[in-house]
Amino acid sequence: MRAGRILGGSIGAAALVGTSFVVATPAAAASCTAKALETVVIRSTTSTSGTALAQLNKGQSASASCTMYYGTASYEKCDIVSKRWVKVTRSGVTGYVVGTCVTIAQD
């Protein structure tokens, strides 16, 4: 993984939620922003087969959860194979984007 594309900090908790594995950061990291390195699709679930809800164009930002979500299947996007997803909200639409094509910054 590229160091600039992962959220730093210690891991506070981990749990299974539905078909996703969730890794939470400490409560102090409650507000984050995701910036798209490439255009990404905002999906209803942590899967490339999830319903497309909207898109986040290259260079655009969206509010994001400071939590990393892991789907059950790997994908290859932005030249990286991963299962990592980021929950974002843009223009009132909340969903998941592939975690390899966004940078996450703590607000």
Side-chain angles (χ1 to χ4, degrees), residues 12-34:
L16 285 175
V17 176
T19 59
S20 299
F21 181 71
V22 180
V23 178
T25 56
S31 180
C32 288
T33 299

Side-chain angles (χ1 to χ4, degrees), residues 53-95:
L53 305 173
Q55 81 179 23
L56 187 61
N57 294 319
K58 182 178 181 177
Q60 286 184 323
S61 295
S63 61
S65 168
C66 296
T67 301
M68 295 175 285
Y69 295 83
Y70 288 84
T72 56
S74 297
Y75 60 81
E76 183 175 355
K77 300 288 182 192
C78 294
D79 299 324
I80 299 172
V81 175
S82 183
K83 293 181 179 183
R84 189 170 63 95
W85 293 80
V86 176
K87 188 175 185 178
V88 299
T89 300
R90 172 113 176 130
S91 301
V93 175
T94 300

